């Protein structure tokens, strides 16, 4: 199945797949804030349109309402019943929690096993939560990234730039201030986002050494936000350390659009 999937990837015309560098990535993890779930489902649709079988899951939890839709939800309890071939996309969870409003995901080591064992060409994993904020700083226990991840996609919402640094606008704002030096209450700058991306305890915290890294800057839907994206990219171009190998700028709603794609390496 893997060889067949890679042959199909050569014929892919999926805009997001190409821009994010996912042609050869079988296990893709997403972290950060500002559009992870929307991007994950958009990628699932692109892979399925190319005839690939896709497993969508999380290492944390996902809102039950977000899983409602055209794809079957399957329960993982150590084994996974693969849906019929007609179902190109399936969502895997382990339990229902939080008064039935949340679905618990799958442990990272189990996802690594599924990469080798299950009948799917691609596995897409939401590895982070952000409490619906456009930006976040990770706590010590996150993101939860499977070790066998081939590419990590770091998502950041450009609509968080320019907003006051507080908990209303940015999840774990105290950690953002601590790691970037930005004063609480000050406007969130593009430069501070760049610093949070490359910081050892920043948005790619815990990324396996084997994994490639892509930054997706979402909500580039006006000239001011697009200018902010360019400042983030400029900051990363001059940075050292955990710099992603490419930066993609675009918007996901009402439909995905890529407006810029910069490859560093």
């Amino acid at each position: 199945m893997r060889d067949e999937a890679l042959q199909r990837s050569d014929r892919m015309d999926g805009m997001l797949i190409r821009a994010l560098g996912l042609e050869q990535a079988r296990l893709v993890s997403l972290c950060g804030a500002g559009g992870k779930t929307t991007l994950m489902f958009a990628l699932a649709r692109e892979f399925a349109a190319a005839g690939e079988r896709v497993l969508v899951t999380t290492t944390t939890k996902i809102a039950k309402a977000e899983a409602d839709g055209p794809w079957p939800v399957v329960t993982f309890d150590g084994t996974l019943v693969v849906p019929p071939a007609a179902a190109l996309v399936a969502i895997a969870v382990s339990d229902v929690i939080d008064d039935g409003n949340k679905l618990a995901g799958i442990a990272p080591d189990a996802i690594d096993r599924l990469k080798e064992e299950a009948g799917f060409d691609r596995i897409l994993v939401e590895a982070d939560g952000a409490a619906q904020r456009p930006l976040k700083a990770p706590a010590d226990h996150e993101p939860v990234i499977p070790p066998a991840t081939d590419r990590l996609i770091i998502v950041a919402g450009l609509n968080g730039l320019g907003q006051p640094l507080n908990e209303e606008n940015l999840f774990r704002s105290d950690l953002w201030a601590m790691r970037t030096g930005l004063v609480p209450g000050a406007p969130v700058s593009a430069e501070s986002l760049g610093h949070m991306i490359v910081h050892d305890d920043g948005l790619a915290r815990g990324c396996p050494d084997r994994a490639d890294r892509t930054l997706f800057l979402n909500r580039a839907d006006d000239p001011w936000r697009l200018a902010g994206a360019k400042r983030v990219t400029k900051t990363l171009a001059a940075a050292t350390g955990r710099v992603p190998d490419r930066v993609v700028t675009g918007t996901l709603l009402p439909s995905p659009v890529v407006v810029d794609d910069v490859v560093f390496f």
Side-chain angles (χ1 to χ4, degrees):
M1 176 169 286
R2 179 174 183 176
D3 290 342
E4 293 175 0
L6 295 182
Q7 289 171 9
R8 283 198 295 272
S9 74
D10 291 337
R11 302 192 298 271
M12 265 178 202
D13 57 2
M15 173 185 60
L16 291 171
I17 294 169
R18 290 198 320 273
L20 297 169
L22 304 181
E23 293 91 342
Q24 307 300 317
R26 291 195 60 236
L27 175 50
V28 179
S29 296
L30 298 92
C31 69
K36 292 187 309 295
T37 306
T38 302
L39 177 57
M40 181 169 64
F41 287 145
L43 287 170
R45 288 190 292 271
E46 284 198 359
F47 281 123
E52 300 208 14
R53 302 202 71 195
V54 186
L55 183 67
V56 175
T57 189
T58 177
T59 51
T60 56
K61 52 189 177 181
I62 190 171
K64 187 175 185 297
E66 293 178 328
D68 290 339
W71 301 323
V73 177
V74 296
T75 300
F76 177 83
D77 58 1
T79 60
L80 185 68
V81 177
V82 180
L88 287 176
V89 180
I91 301 172
V93 300
S94 62
D95 200 3
V96 180
I97 56 175
D98 292 350
D99 298 325
N101 294 320
K102 294 279 189 178
L103 300 173
I106 302 175
D109 59 339
I111 292 175
D112 285 353
R113 293 197 302 273
L114 287 172
K115 178 183 178 182
E116 301 302 326
E117 298 172 2
F120 293 92
D121 302 306
R122 311 280 178 162
I123 301 179
L124 307 179
V125 182
E126 186 170 283
D128 215 354
Q132 304 299 312
R133 311 298 203 280
L135 295 170
K136 72 164 294 181
D140 290 345
H141 63 276
E142 56 186 1
V144 185
I145 304 171
T149 293
D150 297 309
R151 183 171 287 274
L152 177 69
I153 303 176
I154 307 158
V155 183
L158 293 167
N159 53 319
L161 297 183
Q163 300 299 316
L165 178 58
N166 57 39
E167 201 61 23
E168 180 179 350
N169 298 311
L170 196 149
F171 191 43
R172 307 196 198 285
S173 57
D174 56 337
L175 294 178
W176 188 282
M178 181 187 307
R179 292 169 187 167
T180 68
L182 195 67
V183 177
V188 177
S189 66
E191 291 73 21
S192 73
L193 173 54
H195 294 151
M196 181 57 70
I197 291 162
V198 300
H199 194 285
D200 286 345
D201 289 321
L203 292 174
R205 184 182 180 280
C207 179
D209 290 339
R210 71 181 303 278
D212 297 315
R213 295 183 300 280
T214 294
L215 171 65
F216 181 74
L217 296 171
N218 189 25
R219 296 292 299 271
D221 46 17
D222 66 36
W224 190 90
R225 291 175 183 170
L226 185 56
K230 292 184 181 299
R231 293 199 305 275
V232 174
T233 303
K234 183 177 180 180
T235 299
L236 293 175
T240 58
R242 301 176 69 84
V243 180
D245 59 77
R246 63 176 65 201
V247 179
V248 179
T249 302
T251 187
L252 295 172
L253 297 174
S255 59
V257 176
V258 172
V259 299
D260 198 12
D261 183 0
V262 177
V263 179
F264 287 135
F265 304 107

